[in-house]
Amino acid sequence: MKNALKIFVLVLAAAIIVLQFFRIDQTNPVVNAAETIDAAVEVPPDIQIILGRSCNDCHSNTTIYPWYTNVQPTGWYVKNHIDDGRRHLNFSTFNTYPLSKKQKKLSEMCEEVRTSEMPLPAYLWIHRDAQMQPGEAEALCSWTDQAIAALEKSAAKE
Ligand code: HEC
Protein backbone atom coordinates (compact mmCIF):
# COMPACT_ATOMS: atom_id res chain seq x y z
CA MET A 1 0.00 0.00 0.00
CA LYS A 2 2.77 2.39 0.98
CA ASN A 3 4.59 1.68 -2.26
CA ALA A 4 1.48 2.25 -4.33
CA LEU A 5 1.11 5.68 -2.74
CA LYS A 6 4.74 6.51 -3.42
CA ILE A 7 4.38 5.55 -7.07
CA PHE A 8 1.20 7.58 -7.35
CA VAL A 9 2.87 10.69 -5.93
CA LEU A 10 5.88 10.27 -8.21
CA VAL A 11 3.73 9.84 -11.31
CA LEU A 12 1.66 12.87 -10.35
CA ALA A 13 4.78 14.97 -9.79
CA ALA A 14 6.19 13.85 -13.14
CA ALA A 15 2.91 14.70 -14.87
CA ILE A 16 2.89 18.19 -13.36
CA ILE A 17 6.47 18.73 -14.50
CA VAL A 18 5.63 17.59 -18.04
CA LEU A 19 2.68 20.04 -18.13
CA GLN A 20 5.12 22.91 -17.62
CA PHE A 21 6.61 22.31 -21.05
CA PHE A 22 3.31 23.28 -22.70
CA ARG A 23 3.55 27.02 -22.27
CA ILE A 24 0.90 29.45 -23.49
CA ASP A 25 1.67 31.96 -26.22
CA GLN A 26 1.93 35.34 -24.48
CA THR A 27 2.68 37.46 -27.53
CA ASN A 28 0.06 40.14 -28.01
CA PRO A 29 -1.13 40.79 -31.57
CA VAL A 30 0.12 44.12 -32.96
CA VAL A 31 -2.24 47.04 -32.32
CA ASN A 32 -3.08 49.32 -35.23
CA ALA A 33 -4.30 52.68 -33.88
CA ALA A 34 -6.79 53.08 -36.74
CA GLU A 35 -8.54 49.85 -35.72
CA THR A 36 -9.04 50.61 -32.02
CA ILE A 37 -12.18 51.66 -30.18
CA ASP A 38 -10.61 55.12 -29.72
CA ALA A 39 -10.61 55.52 -33.50
CA ALA A 40 -14.32 54.63 -33.62
CA VAL A 41 -15.76 56.64 -30.74
CA GLU A 42 -14.60 59.22 -28.26
CA VAL A 43 -13.58 57.48 -25.03
CA PRO A 44 -13.35 60.03 -22.19
CA PRO A 45 -10.64 59.62 -19.51
CA ASP A 46 -12.94 58.23 -16.80
CA ILE A 47 -14.14 55.50 -19.17
CA GLN A 48 -10.59 54.79 -20.35
CA ILE A 49 -9.73 54.12 -16.71
CA ILE A 50 -12.60 51.65 -16.24
CA LEU A 51 -11.91 49.77 -19.48
CA GLY A 52 -8.16 49.73 -18.95
CA ARG A 53 -8.41 48.53 -15.39
CA SER A 54 -11.30 46.06 -15.60
CA CYS A 55 -11.66 44.83 -19.20
CA ASN A 56 -8.46 45.26 -21.24
CA ASP A 57 -6.74 42.05 -20.17
CA CYS A 58 -9.42 39.94 -21.91
CA HIS A 59 -10.90 42.38 -24.43
CA SER A 60 -7.88 43.95 -26.11
CA ASN A 61 -4.58 43.04 -27.68
CA THR A 62 -2.74 44.79 -24.82
CA THR A 63 -3.11 41.97 -22.30
CA ILE A 64 -0.79 41.91 -19.31
CA TYR A 65 -0.01 38.30 -18.42
CA PRO A 66 0.42 37.71 -14.67
CA TRP A 67 3.32 35.50 -13.47
CA TYR A 68 1.03 32.56 -12.68
CA THR A 69 0.21 32.17 -16.37
CA ASN A 70 3.71 30.65 -16.56
CA VAL A 71 2.42 27.81 -14.38
CA GLN A 72 0.22 25.16 -15.99
CA PRO A 73 -2.64 24.39 -16.00
CA THR A 74 -3.44 27.92 -14.71
CA GLY A 75 -1.97 29.50 -17.84
CA TRP A 76 -4.29 27.48 -20.08
CA TYR A 77 -7.29 28.50 -18.02
CA VAL A 78 -6.41 32.21 -18.28
CA LYS A 79 -5.48 31.99 -21.96
CA ASN A 80 -8.83 30.41 -22.69
CA HIS A 81 -10.62 33.41 -21.16
CA ILE A 82 -8.46 35.83 -23.10
CA ASP A 83 -9.05 34.10 -26.45
CA ASP A 84 -12.77 33.82 -25.78
CA GLY A 85 -13.02 37.40 -24.51
CA ARG A 86 -11.21 38.79 -27.57
CA ARG A 87 -13.41 36.75 -29.89
CA HIS A 88 -16.51 38.32 -28.40
CA LEU A 89 -15.23 41.87 -28.06
CA ASN A 90 -11.81 43.31 -28.83
CA PHE A 91 -11.16 47.01 -28.19
CA SER A 92 -8.02 46.81 -30.32
CA THR A 93 -9.99 45.80 -33.43
CA PHE A 94 -13.30 47.43 -32.57
CA ASN A 95 -13.13 49.90 -35.45
CA THR A 96 -13.06 47.02 -37.95
CA TYR A 97 -16.57 45.95 -36.86
CA PRO A 98 -19.52 47.00 -39.04
CA LEU A 99 -21.70 49.78 -37.59
CA SER A 100 -24.44 47.49 -36.27
CA LYS A 101 -21.92 45.27 -34.51
CA LYS A 102 -20.21 48.28 -32.91
CA GLN A 103 -23.52 49.48 -31.55
CA LYS A 104 -24.52 46.02 -30.36
CA LYS A 105 -21.21 45.51 -28.54
CA LEU A 106 -21.49 48.91 -26.85
CA SER A 107 -24.97 48.12 -25.63
CA GLU A 108 -23.80 44.68 -24.43
CA MET A 109 -20.96 46.32 -22.50
CA CYS A 110 -23.48 48.31 -20.50
CA GLU A 111 -25.68 45.26 -20.01
CA GLU A 112 -22.86 42.95 -18.86
CA VAL A 113 -21.55 45.45 -16.34
CA ARG A 114 -24.97 46.39 -15.05
CA THR A 115 -25.82 42.74 -14.40
CA SER A 116 -22.35 42.18 -12.85
CA GLU A 117 -21.55 39.47 -15.40
CA MET A 118 -18.44 41.42 -16.38
CA PRO A 119 -15.67 41.75 -15.34
CA LEU A 120 -15.62 37.94 -15.24
CA PRO A 121 -15.93 36.94 -11.54
CA ALA A 122 -12.89 34.62 -11.71
CA TYR A 123 -10.81 37.66 -12.71
CA LEU A 124 -11.90 39.55 -9.62
CA TRP A 125 -10.61 36.84 -7.26
CA ILE A 126 -7.12 38.05 -8.02
CA HIS A 127 -7.58 41.48 -9.63
CA ARG A 128 -9.50 42.99 -6.73
CA ASP A 129 -8.92 46.50 -8.03
CA ALA A 130 -10.83 45.58 -11.22
CA GLN A 131 -14.08 45.51 -9.23
CA MET A 132 -16.51 48.15 -10.49
CA GLN A 133 -16.87 51.05 -8.06
CA PRO A 134 -20.19 52.67 -7.11
CA GLY A 135 -21.43 54.82 -9.98
CA GLU A 136 -19.11 53.32 -12.58
CA ALA A 137 -21.73 51.09 -14.21
CA GLU A 138 -23.97 54.16 -14.65
CA ALA A 139 -21.08 56.19 -16.05
CA LEU A 140 -20.23 53.41 -18.47
CA CYS A 141 -23.85 53.04 -19.58
CA SER A 142 -24.36 56.74 -20.17
CA TRP A 143 -21.16 56.74 -22.23
CA THR A 144 -22.25 53.69 -24.30
CA ASP A 145 -25.61 55.38 -24.95
CA GLN A 146 -23.84 58.51 -26.18
CA ALA A 147 -21.39 56.53 -28.27
CA ILE A 148 -24.18 54.54 -29.94
CA ALA A 149 -25.96 57.79 -30.81
CA ALA A 150 -22.75 59.40 -32.07
CA LEU A 151 -22.09 56.43 -34.37
CA GLU A 152 -25.64 56.66 -35.69
CA LYS A 153 -25.20 60.34 -36.41
CA SER A 154 -21.88 60.00 -38.20
CA ALA A 155 -23.26 57.12 -40.28
CA ALA A 156 -26.24 59.27 -41.32
CA LYS A 157 -23.84 61.96 -42.54
CA GLU A 158 -21.96 59.62 -44.86
C1 HEC B 1 -11.02 37.57 -17.27
C2 HEC B 1 -11.41 37.98 -18.58
C3 HEC B 1 -12.48 39.01 -18.80
C4 HEC B 1 -12.57 40.28 -18.25
C5 HEC B 1 -11.62 40.93 -17.28
C6 HEC B 1 -13.73 40.89 -18.85
N1 HEC B 1 -14.32 40.02 -19.72
FE1 HEC B 1 -15.94 40.36 -20.88
N2 HEC B 1 -15.89 38.45 -21.59
C7 HEC B 1 -14.95 37.51 -21.25
C8 HEC B 1 -15.29 36.24 -21.88
C9 HEC B 1 -14.51 34.94 -21.72
C10 HEC B 1 -16.47 36.47 -22.62
C11 HEC B 1 -17.24 35.48 -23.47
C12 HEC B 1 -18.02 34.52 -22.68
C13 HEC B 1 -19.13 35.15 -21.92
O1 HEC B 1 -19.95 35.88 -22.51
O2 HEC B 1 -19.19 34.92 -20.71
C14 HEC B 1 -16.82 37.86 -22.41
C15 HEC B 1 -17.92 38.47 -22.96
C16 HEC B 1 -18.18 39.81 -22.87
C17 HEC B 1 -19.24 40.48 -23.58
C18 HEC B 1 -20.27 39.77 -24.41
C19 HEC B 1 -20.13 39.94 -25.83
C20 HEC B 1 -21.03 39.00 -26.57
O3 HEC B 1 -20.71 38.76 -27.70
O4 HEC B 1 -22.01 38.50 -26.00
C21 HEC B 1 -19.18 41.81 -23.28
C22 HEC B 1 -20.06 42.92 -23.80
C23 HEC B 1 -18.10 41.96 -22.32
N3 HEC B 1 -17.50 40.73 -22.11
C24 HEC B 1 -17.74 43.15 -21.73
C25 HEC B 1 -16.79 43.29 -20.74
C26 HEC B 1 -16.52 44.51 -20.03
C27 HEC B 1 -17.23 45.83 -20.29
C28 HEC B 1 -15.54 44.23 -19.13
C29 HEC B 1 -14.94 45.19 -18.13
C30 HEC B 1 -15.82 45.89 -17.26
C31 HEC B 1 -15.18 42.83 -19.29
N4 HEC B 1 -15.97 42.29 -20.26
C32 HEC B 1 -14.18 42.18 -18.57
C33 HEC B 1 -13.84 37.71 -20.46
C34 HEC B 1 -13.60 38.85 -19.71
Side-chain angles (χ1 to χ4, degrees), residues 132-154:
M132 299 298 281
Q133 298 302 310
E136 284 187 342
E138 292 74 25
L140 186 83
C141 286
S142 78
W143 168 69
T144 54
D145 282 351
Q146 280 170 29
I148 290 167
L151 283 169
E152 194 70 46
K153 224 168 148 186
S154 65

Side-chain angles (χ1 to χ4, degrees), residues 24 38 42 45 50 57 77 86 90 95 97 129 132 134 137 142:
I24 58 164
D38 303 82
E42 201 197 322
I50 298 173
D57 277 344
Y77 174 76
R86 282 178 181 162
N90 189 336
N95 205 23
Y97 299 166
D129 60 327
M132 299 298 281
S142 78

Side-chain angles (χ1 to χ4, degrees), residues 54-55 58-59 81 84-85 88-89 105 108-109 112-113 118-120 123 132 140:
S54 301
C55 322
C58 304
H59 291 294
H81 280 162
D84 198 20
H88 281 84
L89 168 69
K105 293 296 164 186
E108 283 171 357
M109 281 167 70
E112 297 278 338
V113 167
M118 290 288 149
L120 218 58
Y123 185 73
M132 299 298 281
L140 186 83

Side-chain angles (χ1 to χ4, degrees), residues 12-81:
L12 189 69
I16 290 171
I17 290 167
V18 169
L19 290 190
Q20 306 316 311
F21 289 99
F22 296 89
R23 301 174 67 82
I24 58 164
D25 182 3
Q26 300 192 357
T27 43
N28 280 326
V30 176
V31 178
N32 175 349
E35 294 182 351
T36 64
I37 192 166
D38 303 82
V41 291
E42 201 197 322
V43 189
D46 59 326
I47 303 298
Q48 296 273 12
I49 289 171
I50 298 173
L51 301 184
R53 182 201 62 203
S54 301
C55 322
N56 255 11
D57 277 344
C58 304
H59 291 294
S60 81
N61 292 340
T62 54
T63 305
I64 296 168
Y65 288 86
W67 65 266
Y68 49 80
T69 57
N70 293 318
V71 182
Q72 311 316 335
T74 319
W76 301 336
Y77 174 76
V78 172
K79 182 69 177 168
N80 194 37
H81 280 162

